[in-house]
Amino acid sequence: MKQEQVDDDTLGKMFVGGLSWETTQEGLHRYFERFGEITDCVVMTNPDTGRSRGFGFITYANPAVLDRVLENGPHELDGRTIDPKPCTPKGTPTGRNTKSIRNSRYKIFLGGLPAGITETELKNFFQQYGNVIETVIMFDQENKKTKGGFRGNF
């Protein structure tokens, strides 16, 4: 019997969203190394400004560590609730009927919000659809404009 070798760069890799602009690669590494040996850690930055884009990636030597990370949430780093999720291998089906989607949190991003809207107003509106974990009105440092971000369970 021939054994197939899986050569997948997403094995043991997770996406981490919701990072603070102040979160550094070293800080992200320090936070997640408590769960297991990290082989790669990166905070994605804007190539022009060097500023954090608010997300990053962690890769663990042992892919089973991802379950431990997800079971020990919610996670907070640099004053923000962060959102780690396993990376999906290329070609893996995604959608409402997949197990990973049913067991994960749903995230909604809103754009073009009125300048005066508050996080409390967003939360109150979306509570009618389910438990709201976090509401964040994001600010784009480069364009000096607000963007809407909302996170909730439905």
Side-chain angles (χ1 to χ4, degrees):
M1 182 194 291
K2 187 177 179 183
Q3 185 177 4
E4 282 186 41
Q5 185 172 354
V6 177
D7 183 27
D8 187 357
D9 62 351
T10 61
L11 204 56
K13 187 173 186 177
M14 74 177 173
F15 166 86
V16 183
L19 296 178
S20 164
W21 302 121
E22 289 78 39
T23 300
T24 63
Q25 190 165 308
E26 294 77 22
L28 185 65
H29 189 283
R30 196 175 319 112
Y31 179 84
F32 282 105
E33 71 184 346
R34 71 180 80 177
F35 298 101
E37 180 188 349
I38 293 175
T39 59
D40 189 36
C41 173
V42 63
V43 172
M44 301 307 290
T45 57
N46 179 308
D48 297 328
T49 65
R51 258 197 180 159
S52 169
R53 292 175 58 198
F55 68 96
F57 296 92
I58 297 282
T59 305
Y60 286 102
N62 179 355
V65 172
L66 293 177
D67 291 332
R68 196 164 47 238
V69 171
L70 298 175
E71 290 167 1
N72 284 285
H75 298 276
E76 191 168 313
L77 179 61
D78 295 331
R80 297 279 311 263
T81 300
I82 57 175
D83 191 20
K85 295 179 182 174
C87 289
T88 306
K90 291 177 184 168
T92 301
T94 59
R96 292 203 173 272
N97 295 326
T98 62
K99 182 179 178 186
S100 63
I101 296 297
R102 283 195 312 266
N103 292 334
S104 67
R105 290 182 271 187
Y106 294 92
K107 186 185 277 187
I108 300 172
F109 290 97
L110 303 173
L113 295 174
I117 196 162
T118 67
E119 291 179 359
T120 302
E121 289 172 316
L122 279 172
K123 183 173 185 172
N124 290 340
F125 176 80
F126 283 102
Q127 286 284 55
Q128 66 184 315
Y129 300 106
N131 180 38
V132 176
I133 295 172
E134 180 182 26
T135 58
V136 177
I137 296 177
M138 295 177 280
F139 188 75
D140 185 339
Q141 299 291 334
E142 293 176 38
N143 297 325
K144 305 294 184 213
K145 290 184 178 181
T146 59
K147 312 188 262 190
F150 167 81
R151 188 176 309 159
N153 281 340
F154 300 97

